[in-house]
Amino acid sequence: MVHRSIRRAYRGSRRRIVSPQWRAWLAENLLRGVDPRELVEGLVGGGVPAAQAKHTVSAIVRSPLLAVARREATRSHQLGLITRLLGGRGEPLAIPRVPAPAADEFFSRYWSTSTPAIFVDIVPRWRAHWSPTSLRERFGEAMIEACTGRDDDPQPDANWDAHRRELPLAEYIDRMLGLDRSNDLYLIANNRNTARPQLRALWDDVVLPEGWFDEPRLPRGSALWLGPAGTVTPLHHDTSNILFCQIHGRKRIVLAPPWATALLDTARGVYNARTPGDLADEGIESIELTLGPGEALFLPVGWWHDVRALDVSVSLAINAFARDNRFEWYRLGGPC
C-alpha cells in the first residue's frame, strides 16, 4: 500500500518534470516494498503522463543510490530486531556449566537476559538412557519420518521437505549404524517425531525441572534428533528459546551472539552463509563447545549456532516452555 496519496506530482508546465519531493516519496515507498506499478498509477493519478511516470519510477528503481539506501534500511531493521530482543546487550562470551536452578531464577537469570548456559543435572535425572540400541529394542516397529539423501543437496536443511521419508525406526537405526561418518540421513526437528503416538512412551522417561515447561505441550513442542557421526546443522538462529538435551554421543557446537553484526550481511532467512571457519578467520565473536552425554544447553532465541555430531548421537530439543516462546518476528535474513 502506498504510504500517502499524491496530490500533484507533476511540476511546471514548461519543465514537465516530477518534483524532487515526489521523487523522494517514490524512493521511500520503494524502500517499503511497494510495487513499482502501483507507484506509476499514483503518479498518473497525480497528473503525470503515463510514459513519464513509467520512466521516472524505472530510473529510481535502477538507481545505485536506491540500492545503497535499501542496504542501509535492511541493516537498520536488523539492528532494531537485535535491540528489541536483547536491549543492546553485549558482553564477553562464556557458557557456564551449572546445576539447573529453580524456575524463577532460570527465567530471570537466563531466559530474560538471553544468556546461554549448560545445565549438568537435568538429563541425568531421566529414568532411562536413550541409545540407538535401546531405542531400536523398545520402538523398532514404530513408523517415523526421517530426512534421507541429504548428501546430494548443498542445502539439505533449508530443503528438508524434499528429503522426507517414512520408515520403521528399526530400519532407520540399522542404516544409521551401518555408516561411519555421514550427513546423508538425519532425524531433525521438522520431522516432528516426538508427537507420534507410537513414541509417546519416550516421555515416561523424561524428568524436567519443575515450572520450566508447559508439560501437556511437550510432545508437539519438542524434537528428537538422531543421526550418525558427521551430521551437520549449519549456522543458523532459531525463532524460539530451546533446551537442547544431549543424551547419547557428543556434539560440537559453535555459537555466535545476536550482536555479532558482521553476520547480518550473510543472513538468509534463519540461516547464514558463513561457516565456523569463517567466524575464526574473520575474527567474528564466537565460542566453541562440546556438548557431552547428560548435558543440556539452554540456547536463547537469536543466538547463531552450528551443530556437528562427533559420534552417533541422540538429542532432544525442547521449546514448550511455560512462558510465551514465540519470536517468529525475529528473522534477520527476512523470509526463508
Side-chain angles (χ1 to χ4, degrees):
M1 184 179 212
V2 178
H3 183 47
R4 44 192 170 122
S5 62
I6 297 179
R7 293 186 293 276
R8 283 297 296 177
Y10 218 33
R11 170 180 151 186
S13 59
R14 294 181 181 177
R15 296 179 64 191
R16 313 294 285 176
I17 62 170
V18 175
S19 69
Q21 292 88 345
W22 288 112
R23 288 173 180 266
W25 175 85
L26 288 171
E28 178 186 355
N29 279 281
L30 286 168
L31 288 173
R32 294 177 60 249
V34 175
D35 190 318
R37 292 170 295 183
E38 186 177 348
L39 299 178
V40 169
E41 293 174 0
L43 288 178
V44 171
V48 179
Q52 180 68 17
K54 290 178 182 178
H55 173 78
T56 301
V57 173
S58 178
I60 294 176
V61 168
R62 296 194 308 268
S63 169
L65 296 179
L66 184 69
V68 172
R70 184 171 281 124
R71 286 197 299 270
E72 292 304 312
T74 298
R75 176 59 63 92
S76 177
H77 173 70
Q78 292 169 326
L79 293 174
L81 290 180
I82 293 172
T83 300
R84 179 180 169 189
L85 183 67
L86 298 174
R89 172 179 172 269
E91 299 173 358
L93 295 188
I95 312 295
R97 281 179 159 87
V98 294
D104 287 347
E105 182 181 351
F106 166 71
F107 285 113
S108 63
R109 184 172 181 179
Y110 300 101
W111 176 284
S112 297
T113 61
S114 191
T115 300
I118 295 172
F119 300 113
V120 298
D121 59 347
I122 293 178
V123 178
R125 301 173 188 169
W126 294 10
R127 300 183 181 96
H129 174 85
W130 301 347
S131 67
T133 302
S134 69
L135 290 174
R136 191 187 191 287
E137 290 174 354
R138 295 172 61 190
F139 304 101
E141 296 182 359
M143 294 299 296
I144 53 97
E145 181 181 283
C147 285
T148 64
R150 288 163 49 94
D151 277 344
D152 294 330
D153 189 337
Q155 295 182 310
D157 293 273
N159 300 329
W160 71 275
D161 192 54
H163 300 283
R164 298 165 63 185
R165 182 187 166 191
E166 292 259 345
L167 72 168
L169 180 61
E171 180 182 338
Y172 174 84
I173 290 176
D174 288 344
R175 287 183 57 182
M176 181 188 75
L177 294 179
L179 298 170
D180 182 16
R181 297 186 61 82
S182 177
N183 191 35
D184 198 51
L185 71 167
Y186 205 4
L187 263 60
I188 65 172
N190 282 317
N191 294 134
R192 303 294 181 191
N193 285 304
T194 55
R196 289 179 173 252
Q198 289 178 292
L199 295 180
R200 284 295 183 97
L202 285 172
W203 292 103
D204 296 337
D205 302 332
V206 177
V207 179
L208 296 171
E210 185 177 354
W212 284 32
F213 296 98
D214 182 358
E215 296 196 6
R217 293 196 300 112
L218 284 172
R220 294 191 176 276
S222 304
L224 179 66
W225 295 78
L226 175 62
T231 55
V232 176
T233 304
L235 195 65
H236 69 289
H237 71 75
D238 291 300
T239 57
S240 65
N241 294 294
I242 292 172
L243 185 70
F244 191 84
C245 302
Q246 188 62 21
I247 304 159
H248 183 88
R250 300 167 300 152
K251 284 188 169 171
R252 189 193 73 180
I253 303 178
V254 176
L255 296 121
W259 58 84
T261 55
L263 292 172
L264 299 182
D265 295 332
T266 45
R268 303 291 183 269
V270 298
Y271 292 96
N272 203 290
R274 282 184 166 96
T275 67
D278 296 329
L279 304 185
D281 292 343
E282 299 174 33
I284 297 173
E285 189 175 15
S286 62
I287 188 169
E288 178 179 325
L289 59 90
T290 297
L291 196 67
E295 296 184 323
L297 171 65
F298 174 60
L299 189 58
V301 59
W303 277 74
W304 298 101
H305 52 289
D306 176 284
V307 183
R308 299 174 186 244
L310 302 176
D311 312 300
V312 172
S313 179
V314 183
S315 314
L316 183 70
I318 307 174
N319 65 2
F321 284 93
R323 300 280 180 93
D324 185 8
N325 198 21
R326 295 169 295 180
F327 299 87
E328 284 297 325
W329 49 266
Y330 189 82
R331 291 180 182 269
L332 293 174
C336 293

